[in-house]
């Protein structure tokens, strides 16, 4: 297959306050990738309207996610930061991909099943179609690497299937137009580190999510030290002391989760964390974890609060980012139309 220049793309939905899972699974990774790669980081507002929403809150959340991007260390001069709906090519390519993806593929998507719940007949078509738009988000830039949390693995596999099928279905046209043997790269998920799936603090078998109604289930990036201490203290655990080795976390989802969070924050492996806390009671470990969390989140929280006073700056970042993103997306979309046979 043709070689593609390395390009990173990832997105975050403006569906509520960002939490520790978003930070460890996504934003912290975005910042690391920024040092070595050209990257686009997108506030995926078109994904946020797949479920009922309030327009004023959506606008606010779009700005808040942008502030969190910057507060965590993304630099609008290095990476392209923008909101998805500004670049119409995402939605345009999604339609082409709707005609490439198969119903059977989408029927297997577990996120739809979870989010639609019992009343599936009443879910929006957009919620069902979400992974196809996500494939378009990535592939409209022909991005090669996608840092995400573990929950997005299945959607990334679908993106690869769509890219592959498009390359196959239109192989002759792709070659004829001078694009070699493939127009799209098969985007690689980057799901790395000790905290790719941060779980709810109330239930170690449930993903920490923005949409979780329980206050104590998640730690928000804007929680202050008091809130962090409270939430960590109340976090569910079992009665045993911490084990010295990973094997001792088996069947203990809450303990495993807290150790993973610690490791993710301190840039250690879970083994290293356990070596330090082997035999400790949770009271001791939780107190160290709360201190670490408070120390790591304080500068992010401070920066978000500072940026809230400057909405014009945030809007400027988004406008400028959209302009740069469009400059990549537009020629790609034109080439796609030519390949498919759409006169322009
Ligand atoms: P929602 O409940 O609205 O889907 P969310 O918390 O899942 O919100 P998303 O905007 O869907 O957040 O996801 C943004 C990024 O954060 C994705 O890369 C996703 O994989 C990652 N992510 C989300 N939740 C977690 C988690 N609990 N642990 C690790 N990564 C996560
Ligand atoms: Mg999600």
């Amino acid at each position: 297959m043709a070689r593609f220049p390395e390009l990173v793309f990832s997105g975050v939905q403006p569906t509520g306050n960002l939490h520790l899972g978003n930070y460890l699974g996504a934003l912290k990774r975005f910042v690391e990738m920024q040092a070595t790669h050209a990257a686009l980081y997108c506030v995926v507002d078109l994904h946020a309207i797949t479920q009922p929403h309030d327009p004023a809150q959506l606008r606010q959340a779009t700005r808040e996610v942008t502030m969190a991007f910057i507060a965590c260390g993304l630099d609008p001069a290095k990476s392209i930061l923008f909101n998805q709906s500004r670049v119409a090519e995402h939605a345009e390519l999604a339609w082409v991909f709707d005609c490439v993806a198969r119903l059977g593929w989408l029927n297997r998507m577990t996120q739809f099943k979870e989010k639609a719940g019992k009343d599936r007949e009443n879910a929006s078509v957009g919620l069902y179609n979400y992974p196809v738009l996500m494939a378009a988000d990535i592939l409209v830039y022909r991005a090669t690497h996608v840092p995400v949390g573990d929950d997005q693995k299945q959607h990334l596999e679908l993106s690869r299937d769509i890219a592959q099928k498009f390359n196959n279905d239109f192989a002759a046209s792709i070659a004829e137009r001078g694009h070699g043997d493939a127009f799209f790269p098969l985007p690689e998920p980057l799901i790395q580190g000790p905290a790719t799936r941060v779980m709810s603090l109330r239930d170690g078998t449930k993903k920490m999510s923005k949409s979780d109604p329980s206050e104590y289930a998640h730690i928000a990036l804007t929680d202050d030290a008091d809130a962090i201490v409270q939430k960590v203290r109340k976090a569910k655990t079992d009665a045993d002391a911490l084990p010295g080795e990973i094997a001792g976390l088996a069947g203990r989802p809450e303990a495993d989760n807290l150790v993973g969070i610690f490791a993710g924050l301190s840039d250690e492996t879970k083994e290293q964390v356990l070596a330090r806390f082997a035999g400790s009671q949770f009271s001791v470990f939780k107190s160290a974890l709360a201190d670490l969390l408070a120390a790591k989140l304080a500068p992010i929280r401070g920066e978000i609060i500072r940026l809230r006073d400057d909405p014009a700056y945030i809007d400027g970042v988004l406008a400028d980012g959209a302009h740069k993103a469009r400059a990549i997306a537009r020629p790609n979309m034109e080439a796609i139309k030519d390949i498919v046979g759409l006169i322009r």
Side-chain angles (χ1 to χ4, degrees):
M1 195 162 119
R3 291 278 303 159
F4 293 89
E6 292 199 345
L7 181 64
V8 171
F9 178 93
S10 198
V12 174
Q13 296 191 74
T15 39
N17 275 336
L18 293 193
H19 54 76
L20 189 59
N22 299 130
Y23 178 64
L24 293 176
L27 271 73
K28 191 166 185 289
R29 318 304 319 287
F30 297 179
V31 176
E32 288 160 8
M33 300 289 304
Q34 169 178 261
T36 51
H37 284 77
L40 299 111
Y41 296 117
C42 185
V43 187
V44 287
D45 48 7
L46 294 176
H47 287 279
I49 64 171
T50 55
Q51 292 192 288
H53 75 282
D54 172 65
Q57 269 173 17
L58 176 61
R59 275 187 286 270
Q60 176 57 25
T62 301
R63 295 190 176 105
E64 282 275 332
V65 172
T66 312
M67 291 179 220
F69 277 179
I70 298 169
C72 288
L74 291 181
D75 177 356
K78 281 194 196 143
S79 299
I80 299 176
L81 311 184
F82 69 110
N83 59 312
Q84 181 189 26
S85 60
R86 276 258 186 55
V87 183
E89 283 78 4
H90 289 240
E92 212 176 348
L93 181 56
W95 179 256
V96 174
F97 283 173
D98 273 335
C99 304
V100 172
R102 306 289 94 182
L103 274 180
W105 299 358
L106 281 178
N107 285 338
R108 288 198 287 271
M109 296 295 118
T110 56
Q111 178 177 288
F112 173 73
K113 290 174 193 164
E114 280 157 22
K115 290 203 169 183
K118 288 194 185 73
D119 194 10
R120 199 174 295 178
E121 291 291 305
N122 202 29
S124 75
V125 176
L127 187 66
Y128 181 75
N129 209 21
Y130 181 116
V132 177
L133 177 58
M134 178 165 157
D137 297 336
I138 298 162
L139 291 166
V140 80
Y141 302 100
R142 300 208 277 177
T144 55
H145 293 83
V146 187
V148 282
D150 179 70
D151 62 303
Q152 292 303 317
K153 189 166 178 227
Q154 193 184 37
H155 288 167
L156 253 298
E157 277 158 13
L158 184 90
S159 297
R160 292 167 67 89
D161 289 343
I162 291 174
Q164 181 75 66
K165 186 163 174 8
F166 182 97
N167 288 341
N168 291 346
D169 289 355
F170 297 102
S173 187
I174 288 169
E176 206 173 288
R177 297 265 159 190
H179 301 293
D181 61 358
F183 184 77
F184 290 117
L186 305 187
E188 250 183 68
L190 300 173
I191 304 171
Q192 290 157 350
T196 56
R197 190 177 184 84
V198 175
M199 308 308 275
S200 158
L201 297 183
R202 305 302 296 161
D203 176 353
T205 63
K206 247 177 72 188
K207 181 180 96 70
M208 187 179 281
S209 266
K210 289 183 221 124
S211 28
D212 194 318
S214 164
E215 262 286 293
Y216 284 93
H218 76 275
I219 289 180
L221 294 187
T222 48
D223 279 346
D224 63 17
D226 286 347
I228 291 171
V229 169
Q230 289 265 344
K231 289 181 182 184
V232 172
R233 193 178 293 152
K234 281 199 178 12
K236 192 176 162 198
T237 48
D238 50 47
D240 295 339
L242 280 162
E245 282 161 29
I246 295 284
L249 293 173
R252 301 176 66 186
E254 284 84 15
D256 189 24
N257 188 39
L258 295 183
V259 171
I261 292 172
F262 197 109
L265 289 167
S266 63
D267 291 310
E268 292 171 290
T269 60
K270 288 203 242 181
E271 285 86 349
Q272 286 169 318
V273 173
L274 288 180
R276 192 136 41 95
F277 289 97
S280 294
Q281 295 302 316
F282 271 106
S283 54
V284 174
F285 179 68
K286 278 181 166 181
S287 148
L289 177 60
D291 286 349
L292 178 63
L293 267 167
K296 293 283 179 185
L297 296 188
I300 297 174
R301 172 172 191 271
E303 186 64 2
I304 291 176
I305 289 170
R306 194 185 67 78
L307 288 166
R308 278 182 189 152
D309 284 338
D310 200 354
Y313 168 70
I314 295 300
D315 288 355
V317 166
L318 289 174
D320 182 50
H323 184 74
K324 292 180 192 158
R326 219 177 290 128
I328 308 173
R330 187 170 298 150
N332 283 345
M333 195 63 220
E334 286 175 355
I336 293 160
K337 285 185 171 172
D338 291 344
I339 289 165
V340 173
L342 302 167
I343 294 174
R344 56 185 178 87

